[in-house]
Amino acid sequence: MDRIGPVFASGREHVGDVPGQATLAARLRAEWPKLDILMSNVPHLPLDAWTEEAFDRLVATNLKSPFFLIRDLLPLFSQQSSVILVGSVSAYIGHENATVHGAAKAGLLSWIGELAY
């Protein structure tokens, strides 16, 4: 995580690594009393490149890790905070090379509304 001035930080963490996300959340809680913005985004693969391992990794990356990261960071969010989870049109319509990606993004989008409560 790199500091950008006194109030901003930027970092790149593997979103499929739940223990790594817990470590990141602990570091953020130690450094800041609250968060205003969290953004999460991930890529996808063509259908013929999918293996069971790649499928599991994508589902963990798109659903599991964001869920647990947000859960671990909840104490830092205020009513004015924003959580930005990047969805995909592939969650709604068929899209070339986005079969698993679209299914995982649909799962992500299905619980985004819950975050408002």
Side-chain angles (χ1 to χ4, degrees):
M1 189 168 43
D2 298 320
R3 281 196 174 271
I4 305 171
V7 295
F8 296 102
S10 172
R12 181 181 285 189
E13 302 290 334
H14 189 284
V15 296
D17 176 13
V18 173
Q21 296 298 341
T23 300
L24 172 64
R27 285 176 31 212
L28 291 170
R29 285 193 306 268
E31 291 191 41
W32 281 285
K34 68 177 188 128
L35 284 180
D36 294 321
I37 298 173
L38 170 69
M39 181 175 175
S40 177
N41 188 28
V42 296
H44 60 87
L45 296 171
L47 184 60
D48 61 355
W50 287 104
T51 62
E52 186 174 352
E53 179 182 289
F55 180 93
D56 290 344
R57 187 172 55 244
L58 184 116
V59 171
T61 298
N62 277 277
L63 293 173
K64 186 177 180 181
S65 289
F67 176 86
F68 286 105
L69 178 61
I70 291 166
R71 182 201 64 185
D72 291 346
L73 294 175
L74 279 177
L76 300 180
F77 294 127
S78 70
Q79 290 294 323
Q80 292 78 35
S81 294
S82 296
V83 175
I84 302 167
L85 298 169
V86 178
S88 174
V89 69
S90 298
Y92 301 104
I93 62 172
H95 203 212
E96 185 178 6
N97 296 330
T99 305
V100 178
H101 176 77
K105 288 296 188 172
L108 178 70
L109 293 172
S110 75
W111 61 265
I112 285 177
E114 178 85 18
L115 296 175
Y117 298 100

